[in-house]
Amino acid sequence: MKVNPHRFKEFIVIAVVVAVLAVLPVLGLPRTWLLYIFLFFIYLALANMWNLLSGYCGLISLCQPAFIGLGGYTLVIFTWNGLPLYMGILGGAIVAAIFTMLISSAVFRLRGIYFAIGTLVVPEALRVVFFIWRPVGEQIHGKGAGYMIKGLNDVSMTHIYWLAIFIGIVSIVIMRLTLSSKMGMGLAAIRDNDSAASSSGINIFKLKLFAFVISAFITAIAGSIFYMFQGYIAPESGFSMKWTMTMILATVIGGISTEEGPIIGTVIIVFLHFLLARYAGISLIIQGILLIIIMLLAPQGIMGFARKTKIYQSLLRLTAGDSI
Amino acid sequence: MAETTILSIVDVTKRFGGLFAVNDLSLDIHEGEAVGLMGPNGAGKTTLISVISGQYKPEIGAVIFQGHDISGLPPHRICRLGIARTYQIPHPFINLTTRQNIAVAAMYGKGIGKTAAAAEADKILDIVELTDKKDVRAKDLEALTLKRLELARALATDPKLLLIDEVAAGLTEVEIPNFLNILKRIRSMNITYIMIEHVLKVMLEAVDRVTVIDYGIKIAEGTPQEVMEDEKVIKAYLG
Ligand SMILES: Nc1ncnc2c1ncn2[C@@H]1O[C@H](COP(=O)(O)OP(=O)(O)OP(=O)(O)O)[C@@H](O)[C@H]1O
Ligand SMILES: [Mg+2]
């Protein structure tokens, strides 16, 4: 395999940044700062996985919270049965992946906006299920009360923080690998012309399902790590639409269908959360207004806008070169 | 010479609402043959191709390819079995370059990896004489080049049977010999083809026999010359 020198430089930069961020807790950075970095990497994983579906497969998925909640609840069920945390995280990812396969034959029949609406009801349905059903522990009155996640005693916050960095970076790597692979080419073909794609031998259903499964798997892991940090999960938060809002905002602000978009967008979203932390009530409104402004001024997001500028174009010319 | 039948269309009917686009049509294609498909506008030629390649399922009848009933199989399966088609209105992957368009078809149509597909794409670019356009995005190609790209994408899937839907339409007198050369190359690759064409010169030179359909029904069959003199054909064309 040939090594692209620009890719290598990029790799070094990312490695250094990650290393610095990883040692911050050891250096005694204030906890609120660590919280925002933690959120950045969780949101980054979520936004990347939403971008994979919406930006690259034309699947405007509004059911991502289903995977987050399933991840969190599987973690609960595992840890309440005395199983290790890591097994719980992996279990949640597998449950989310299997769940995706189960709903795919129904939701893939829907196209465009109908797919969006069809997927919107999924987390809502699961929220109700987990409101009524207590999978482990005793039945208590006032159903729907959430769960503590057990087995967290000997896990430090630093440890969970590192897990978040890990899943954020993994999501970037997955995007890179997927998009530059045969699968990425197939998805690009489907987006451009699905009938020509299928008469060229591309199994559209299979390729989209594969992307959906990857997205669910990683989203569930990010969700589990988030709830390890919280220590507690309830149906209203686990399956909440707010998750969807966050990933859409980050992706669209940064630039949908671009690899860098979710990274830039997530930085902005986390910074906004920081600025608006004391105004939780209007935070979503302000983010919504920002979204509208971005869509009016730069419909392709910040990256789409940047790509049109001369500097970026010349950078691109420098770094291009290893694809077909 | 014993001829093997590569494709049998058996009593196929395909309707759109009350309209019989293909009406109880039967046709056998032998291996190595080049067959022309003619008929006035709206005769059902494109619909027949779409039935063979799996975009439409025949309501009645069957399509038998190399002894297997393929009617109702999805397009990608039929492609992998060895039937490729072009589209009358080009269907390019607009954001991909010419070379990528061909490579992606090779990857999935032949089931090969990226590197092998890139090499395959270069071969096909040569065959259809598009090498000079290889790095141009399809959205920036002109109409005639897009038609050749259709042919290239279909060829990249390594077909045994190629269905060509009016690729020569719009070619000037000067460009036709060049297109005929490309067809010759395709024939020398042992690819059987069915070609829909209105350009008579191409029909006369590039096919062994012609089937003429009108209102979805076969109205004549024979060598290009025979068919051109057939009264029913003349009447169908003159309306
Ligand atoms: N998707 C469709 N829905 C409804 N009617 C259709 C559809 N496709 C084709 N038709 C109709 O079926 C008939 C056959 O159309 P087809 O495109 O197969 O004709 P054709 O022989 O390829 O004509 P042309 O020479 O104009 O390309 C026409 O009357 C057409 O209007
Ligand atoms: Mg037609």
Side-chain angles (χ1 to χ4, degrees):
Chain A
M1 231 179 83
K2 52 186 182 230
V3 177
N4 182 324
H6 298 285
R7 281 282 153 82
F8 188 66
K9 251 187 248 168
E10 195 184 86
F11 172 77
I12 296 290
V13 170
I14 291 177
V16 169
V17 170
V18 168
V20 169
L21 291 176
V23 297
L24 288 181
V26 186
L27 299 177
L29 201 78
R31 282 223 18 195
T32 42
W33 285 80
L34 294 179
L35 168 69
Y36 285 113
I37 299 171
F38 169 85
L39 282 180
F40 169 79
F41 282 104
I42 296 292
Y43 290 170
L44 175 63
L46 300 180
N48 267 332
M49 291 303 107
W50 189 76
N51 191 30
L52 175 62
L53 297 181
S54 301
Y56 292 96
C57 304
L59 298 169
I60 311 288
S61 164
L62 301 181
C63 65
Q64 305 298 89
F67 311 137
I68 296 172
L70 284 174
Y73 270 95
T74 309
L75 184 62
V76 164
I77 294 170
F78 273 58
T79 55
W80 278 55
N81 284 307
L83 293 166
L85 277 167
Y86 281 99
M87 206 185 270
I89 296 176
L90 188 66
I94 292 169
V95 167
I98 292 171
F99 181 74
T100 307
M101 294 179 205
L102 294 179
I103 63 169
S104 65
S105 63
V107 292
F108 279 5
R109 279 171 216 271
L110 309 168
R111 286 181 156 232
I113 189 71
Y114 298 101
F115 177 84
I117 295 166
T119 52
L120 182 62
V121 302
V122 173
E124 200 48 32
L126 286 175
R127 189 183 65 80
V128 173
V129 167
F130 281 93
F131 191 76
I132 297 165
W133 180 44
R134 283 191 70 78
V136 284
E138 286 171 24
Q139 295 297 326
I140 47 172
H141 60 269
K143 287 176 175 173
Y147 282 100
M148 300 293 292
I149 288 158
K150 291 192 176 175
L152 283 172
N153 292 339
D154 29 273
V155 182
S156 68
M157 276 300 165
T158 306
H159 192 143
I160 301 173
Y161 172 86
W162 283 336
L163 283 177
I165 295 183
F166 171 75
I167 198 65
I169 297 301
V170 163
S171 75
I172 293 178
V173 172
I174 284 184
M175 287 303 278
R176 178 55 56 89
L177 291 181
T178 307
L179 297 178
S180 63
S181 70
K182 176 174 169 177
M183 179 181 167
M185 287 291 282
L187 290 174
I190 295 171
R191 265 193 303 161
D192 277 356
N193 198 310
D194 57 355
S195 34
S198 66
S199 41
S200 303
I202 298 176
N203 184 342
I204 296 178
F205 182 91
K206 189 172 132 195
L207 221 52
K208 285 187 172 177
L209 177 61
F210 201 44
F212 210 16
V213 167
I214 292 175
S215 179
F217 193 89
I218 299 298
T219 300
I221 294 178
S224 297
I225 295 170
F226 179 84
Y227 284 106
M228 271 175 79
F229 179 83
Q230 294 266 297
Y232 180 82
I233 184 171
E236 305 84 67
S237 71
F239 299 100
S240 167
M241 262 286 289
K242 275 193 189 156
W243 289 114
T244 315
M245 276 296 286
T246 303
M247 51 188 104
I248 293 181
L249 278 167
T251 310
V252 173
I253 289 174
I256 192 166
S257 308
T258 67
E259 267 183 82
E260 306 88 335
I263 304 175
I264 295 167
T266 307
V267 170
I268 293 173
I269 284 295
V270 171
F271 188 62
L272 272 177
H273 279 195
F274 166 73
L275 288 181
L276 300 172
R278 272 187 287 155
Y279 314 100
I282 56 162
S283 170
L284 262 184
I285 298 174
I286 294 181
Q287 291 179 47
I289 293 171
L290 187 78
L291 180 69
I292 292 168
I293 294 173
I294 289 270
M295 286 172 103
L296 288 176
L297 294 182
Q300 295 301 310
I302 293 171
M303 274 318 294
F305 184 73
R307 284 204 168 164
K308 288 198 195 105
T309 65
K310 284 215 176 97
I311 301 168
Y312 187 83
Q313 298 265 331
S314 48
L315 267 179
L316 205 65
R317 230 165 282 134
L318 278 177
T319 55
D322 70 337
S323 57
I324 292 178
Chain B
M1 191 175 82
E3 283 174 328
T4 357
T5 307
I6 188 166
L7 184 82
S8 293
I9 296 160
V10 189
D11 303 330
V12 163
T13 296
K14 168 70 199 164
R15 283 178 307 174
F16 294 111
L19 177 93
F20 285 76
V22 176
N23 193 350
D24 196 22
L25 195 111
S26 296
L27 182 63
D28 278 348
I29 311 286
H30 305 300
E31 223 168 280
E33 248 191 329
V35 175
L37 197 57
M38 289 179 69
N41 290 110
K45 306 178 295 291
T46 299
T47 305
L48 181 61
I49 289 219
S50 298
V51 168
I52 300 171
S53 58
Q55 271 80 27
Y56 298 137
K57 193 177 148 80
E59 272 127 25
I60 308 171
V63 180
I64 314 289
F65 179 63
Q66 295 189 315
H68 304 285
D69 187 350
I70 59 164
S71 13
L73 289 185
H76 65 90
R77 291 271 312 276
I78 292 180
C79 169
R80 286 182 202 171
L81 287 174
I83 301 181
R85 71 167 293 178
T86 71
Y87 285 89
Q88 184 171 0
I89 300 157
H91 277 36
F93 306 127
I94 53 169
N95 292 305
L96 304 186
T97 65
T98 304
R99 189 161 178 256
Q100 288 172 329
N101 264 272
I102 303 170
V104 75
M107 277 176 223
Y108 285 92
K110 288 182 78 170
I112 56 178
K114 267 184 86 173
T115 322
E120 186 64 25
D122 287 334
K123 260 193 258 165
I124 308 279
L125 281 164
D126 227 28
I127 294 170
V128 299
E129 298 171 26
L130 273 180
T131 307
D132 54 326
K133 299 268 167 58
K134 70 179 161 97
D135 294 321
V136 182
R137 280 178 186 235
K139 67 169 119 189
D140 298 324
L141 293 174
E142 55 279 19
L144 284 179
T145 318
L146 283 177
K147 293 223 157 196
R148 244 187 295 166
L149 179 56
E150 281 296 312
L151 207 50
R153 203 188 53 230
L155 281 175
T157 64
D158 195 19
K160 299 181 187 99
L161 174 67
L162 178 61
L163 312 170
I164 309 172
D165 197 349
E166 291 198 35
V167 172
L171 289 182
T172 63
E173 205 56 33
V174 198
E175 291 158 334
I176 285 176
N178 171 266
F179 176 66
L180 287 171
N181 269 335
I182 295 175
L183 287 179
K184 262 193 209 125
R185 263 170 238 157
I186 293 174
R187 277 200 93 160
S188 70
M189 293 160 76
N190 286 323
I191 296 172
T192 308
Y193 62 77
I194 302 178
M195 184 169 69
I196 299 176
E197 200 47 82
H198 288 303
V199 181
L200 282 182
K201 189 161 181 230
V202 173
M203 250 339 178
L204 289 169
E205 296 221 7
V207 302
D208 306 322
R209 64 182 168 103
V210 177
T211 292
V212 185
I213 63 175
D214 194 14
Y215 296 107
I217 297 168
K218 192 194 290 181
I219 58 166
E221 252 182 325
T223 64
Q225 280 85 357
E226 283 166 9
V227 159
M228 301 303 167
E229 287 154 20
D230 190 298
E231 247 171 68
K232 270 189 274 171
V233 176
I234 295 167
K235 232 170 95 189
Y237 268 89
L238 296 180

